[in-house]
C-alpha cells in the first residue's frame, strides 16, 4: 500500500497562492430582524414557539444561539415566514441585512 499512496504537505502543493485576506462587514439588521432580536432579548417565549409557549422554554435556553439565527435570517424561526403557501420572492432578501448586501454584490 505504501507504493500507491501519494503524500504531500500543504506548503509543497501550491506556493504561488496569495495569503488569505478577511474583510469584516458590520451590517444593520432589517426591521424584521430587529423585531425578532428584541423579542428574544426580552424572552418573549410565545414568539419563539407556535403553540403558545410549551416549546418556548426549551428554545429560549440558549439565547445566544437564537440571536445568531436572527442575524443569519429571521425565517429560520417557525412562523416568521409569511405563508402557507410559502413562495420565493423579494421578501426573502429584504428581511435579512446580509441578504440585501449579497444581492447588491451579485447583481454587479
Amino acid at each position: 500500500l505504501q507504493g500507491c499512496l501519494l503524500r504531500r504537505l500543504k506548503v509543497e502543493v501550491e506556493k504561488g497562492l496569495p495569503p488569505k485576506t478577511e474583510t469584516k462587514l458590520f451590517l444593520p439588521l432589517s426591521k424584521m430582524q430587529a423585531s425578532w432580536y428584541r423579542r428574544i432579548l426580552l424572552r418573549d417565549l410565545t414568539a419563539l414557539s407556535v403553540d403558545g409557549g410549551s416549546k418556548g422554554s426549551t428554545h429560549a435556553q440558549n439565547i445566544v444561539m437564537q440571536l445568531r439565527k436572527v442575524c443569519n435570517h429571521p425565517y429560520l424561526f417557525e412562523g416568521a415566514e409569511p405563508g402557507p403557501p410559502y413562495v420565493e420572492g423579494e421578501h426573502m432578501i429584504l428581511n435579512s441585512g446580509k441578504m440585501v448586501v449579497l444581492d447588491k454584490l451579485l447583481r454587479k
Side-chain angles (χ1 to χ4, degrees), residues 74-85:
Y75 286 1
L76 293 173
F77 293 100
E78 264 185 64
E81 185 174 3

Side-chain angles (χ1 to χ4, degrees), residues 87-103:
V87 294
E88 294 181 12
E90 199 66 22
H91 64 93
M92 294 183 80
I93 295 169
L94 296 177
N95 285 323
S96 175
K98 288 180 182 181
M99 296 289 281
V100 170
V101 172
L102 281 174
D103 188 52

Side-chain angles (χ1 to χ4, degrees), residues 6-42:
L6 178 63
R7 191 172 178 126
R8 298 182 285 175
L9 300 175
K10 262 198 267 187
V11 293
E12 296 172 351
V13 174
E14 181 61 49
K15 297 179 182 180
L17 288 176
K20 179 181 156 184
T21 59
E22 184 175 324
T23 305
K24 292 185 180 183
L25 298 174
F26 296 97
L27 305 170
L29 297 176
S30 69
K31 289 180 182 179
M32 184 178 199
Q33 283 177 304
S35 168
W36 277 90
Y37 202 91
R38 267 189 231 98
R39 285 183 194 173
I40 291 172
L41 282 179
L42 296 174

